[in-house]
Structure formats: C-alpha cells, structure tokens
Amino acid sequence: MTTSPALAWLLAATAAGAVAAALIAGSGTPVLDGTAVLWDGMVGSPYAIGNALNIAAVLMLVAAGFTVAYRAGLVNVGGEGQLAAGGISATVVGTTVPENLPAVLGVGLALVAGFAGGALWALMPAWLRAVRGTNEVITTLLMNFVGLGLVTLCVHEEALLRQPVTSADTLPQSSPLATSARLPLVGPVEAQATAAILIAALVLAVTWVVLSMTPTGTRLIAVGESTPASHRLGVPVVRLQISSLCVAGGLAGLAGATLVGTVPFVLKEGFTAGFGFAGLVVGLLAGRSVVAVAAVAIAFGFLASGGINLQVAAGVPASSVQIFQSVLILVVAGAAILRKRATA
C-alpha cells in the first residue's frame, strides 16, 4: 500500500508538531501558551506577516535556483557562498551609486550586480562538473567557506568595504547603501514588507514558464534523467549543466542582494543567516516543483518569524524551530523513500 504525498505531509507535520510541543514543554513554558506565542509571532501583527514574507522571499529565490539545477541532475549546496558573493557585489554597487539616482535604476543595478556575483561564484564548480566531472556537491560546499570568509575580509578592511573607522566603537560592516539602492516597501508601512516579495514571485513565475513550457526545460529534464542519452540525442549537455548551475548561483546571489538592500542596508558578517542552507532544504522538500517551492518557502518563513517571537516572548530557545524543521524534513524524506520503495 502506498501513501499519497498529501497524507505524507500531514503525518510529517503531526510528528514534527509533537516534537515541537515536547521542546516547548521542556523549556518550562506551557504548550498552549507557547503555541499561542508562536502563532502570534507568525500572524499576530502586520510586522510579523511582513517579516515572514521577507524571509520567504529569500528562501524562494535560493530554492528556485536550486530547482533549476536539480532539474539538470545537479545539486547546488553552495547557496551560502553564492549569497555572500551576491551581497558583496550588490554592496559594491549600492554604496557607489548616486543618492539622487531614480530608485528603479539604483535598485536594479544592485540586483543585477547581486545576480552576476552569485552566477560568477558558481561558474567554477559548474565548469568543473560539466567539463572535468568533479562532484558539484563537494565544490559548491567548499566554496561556501571561501564566500563567507570573503565577507569577513571585506567588512574588516577599510581598503575594501568597511565603513570609515572614526572610533574604537566603529562596527566592522560596510557603509549603508545609498537611498536609491534600497529596496522599497510594499503594503502597509508597519508591515515592513519589501519589494523582495514581488521579485521572488516574478522569478518563480519565470522559472515555472521556462521549466514547464519551453524546450530548454525539456532539455534540462533530459540531462537530469540521463546524461549519456542526452549526448547521443545531440542535447548540449555541457552548456546546460554550466548554465543551470550558474542560474542557481545567480538567484542565490540575487537573494543576497535583497538581504543587503533591506534594513539595516549594510553588508556585515553573518548577514546570510543560514538562508543558503535553508533554501537548499526548501528546494529538496519541493521535489523539483516550482509551485511547491512557493508553498514550502512561505511555510518556513512563517515558522521562522514565529520562532523569533517564541524566543523573545516565551523564552523558548530559537533552536526549537530549527529542530522542528529538521524533524519535518526527516519525516517527509522518509515518507518519500517508503513511497518510492512501495512503487518499485
């Protein structure tokens, strides 16, 4: 007997919810009180909703890129490094454009720079995979450490991106982006939701069209299913592998640009906040479906927002939400494996 995907998700959510309840109770907070605080942090105010959507937008961008590469049979584990490269590139542009430049140009230039930075960061692993056969999981993973180290170097060196040091209290971070390069708000001011939401929605729509309705999407699937067969059929395998991984890196870099384009509008250590790995998880759970990417990213965004409130208002460790997400992933992955075995 097989289990439908919907039932698998329901069982996974139930199991993960039970674990979350146990963690809340273990912290000394009544489960009902903790649940109420979590819910309030998710949807209890315009700011909570806006914050959740901002987080979801970043996850959507990273996961959309992951899905493009995944269709071609590649696994991009380098989201963190690509986020870092995109953030650095966007900061270089965003701190140099004129303040009085129209926002559509300033923001556009910063976003394009972010995409280009992430794509270039993924180019070497892509070339090694397509031409030399080097495992992209290893190379993209290792590039994460280089990217995060480069952020540290940039924000600590005045010759690079560190803001001018005026006292011992000057923080190791970049100067703020020019006003013209900052992402505008959408919706009510109190929600603080940014245009990153619209950008992510547009990217997902374009990604869905390309993957579902164009010859390029069909060729990517062919490469992912069988590289030797694609070669024999004349499909440009090398070009598709390189371009798909670079697109994945570019979209992660675009996500990095949206992060530095949001309050506090600076590049600093830790600004990636694990979004690269979280986006990888969203992509894996979505199972190559662009529509599922949107749903899972939104769910994770609201969970993350609720987790912040859970920590602040109820004293529950923020890691509880991470454990909840991890259990959810493990249960869903286990259900997928069991379904696959049952149908084999």
Side-chain angles (χ1 to χ4, degrees):
M1 183 178 66
T2 61
T3 302
S4 69
L7 180 58
W9 271 99
L10 179 60
L11 293 174
T14 301
V19 172
L23 291 170
I24 292 173
S27 68
T29 302
V31 174
L32 291 180
D33 291 347
T35 303
V37 170
L38 178 65
W39 181 256
D40 186 61
M42 292 168 64
V43 297
S45 66
Y47 178 77
I49 296 173
N51 184 52
L53 292 176
N54 288 337
I55 294 172
V58 176
L59 295 178
M60 284 182 198
L61 291 171
V62 178
F66 174 87
T67 302
V68 172
Y70 202 37
R71 287 285 183 99
L74 305 177
V75 180
N76 178 36
V77 190
E80 282 288 296
Q82 294 150 9
L83 271 165
I88 292 171
S89 302
T91 302
V92 171
V93 172
T95 54
T96 55
V97 296
E99 288 281 349
N100 59 355
L101 191 68
V104 66
L105 291 178
V107 173
L109 288 172
L111 294 178
V112 168
F115 182 92
L120 288 174
W121 199 255
L123 180 58
M124 181 58 72
W127 182 85
L128 288 172
R129 174 63 177 86
V131 178
R132 306 294 296 178
T134 307
N135 191 309
E136 78 282 356
V137 173
I138 296 174
T139 53
T140 54
L141 177 64
L142 293 177
M143 290 290 282
N144 286 334
F145 301 102
V146 182
L148 295 176
L150 188 59
V151 171
T152 300
L153 178 65
C154 285
V155 300
H156 279 272
E157 292 293 332
E158 286 190 78
L160 297 176
L161 290 176
R162 184 171 184 174
Q163 61 183 336
V165 178
T166 57
S167 70
D169 296 326
T170 301
L171 296 175
Q173 62 187 30
S174 73
S175 298
L177 270 63
T179 304
S180 58
R182 300 176 182 180
L183 286 176
L185 298 179
V186 295
V189 175
E190 59 270 22
Q192 291 295 297
T194 71
I197 300 164
L198 302 180
I199 295 168
L202 178 61
V203 166
L204 282 181
V206 172
T207 302
W208 181 83
V209 170
V210 171
L211 294 181
S212 304
M213 305 178 66
T214 68
T216 298
T218 303
R219 294 188 186 105
L220 285 172
I221 294 174
V223 172
E225 292 294 331
S226 177
T227 300
S230 298
H231 272 299
R232 289 194 294 271
L233 292 172
V235 176
V237 173
V238 172
R239 188 179 71 193
L240 286 170
Q241 288 182 332
I242 292 177
S243 61
S244 64
L245 198 53
C246 284
V247 167
L251 291 180
L254 180 61
T258 64
L259 286 175
V260 298
T262 306
V263 176
F265 310 113
V266 297
L267 178 75
K268 59 183 179 180
E269 289 181 274
F271 86 98
T272 59
F275 281 122
F277 293 116
L280 161 68
V281 170
V282 170
L284 285 172
L285 287 178
R288 303 189 183 186
S289 168
V290 177
V291 176
V293 163
V296 177
I298 290 173
F300 271 45
F302 277 95
L303 277 174
S305 180
I308 295 172
N309 195 55
L310 196 62
Q311 181 183 23
V312 173
V316 178
S319 57
S320 298
V321 173
Q322 296 175 346
I323 294 173
F324 170 82
Q325 293 174 344
S326 300
V327 172
L328 184 65
I329 293 163
L330 290 174
V331 177
V332 170
I337 292 172
L338 290 176
R339 289 201 313 271
K340 186 175 182 179
R341 288 181 178 178
T343 56

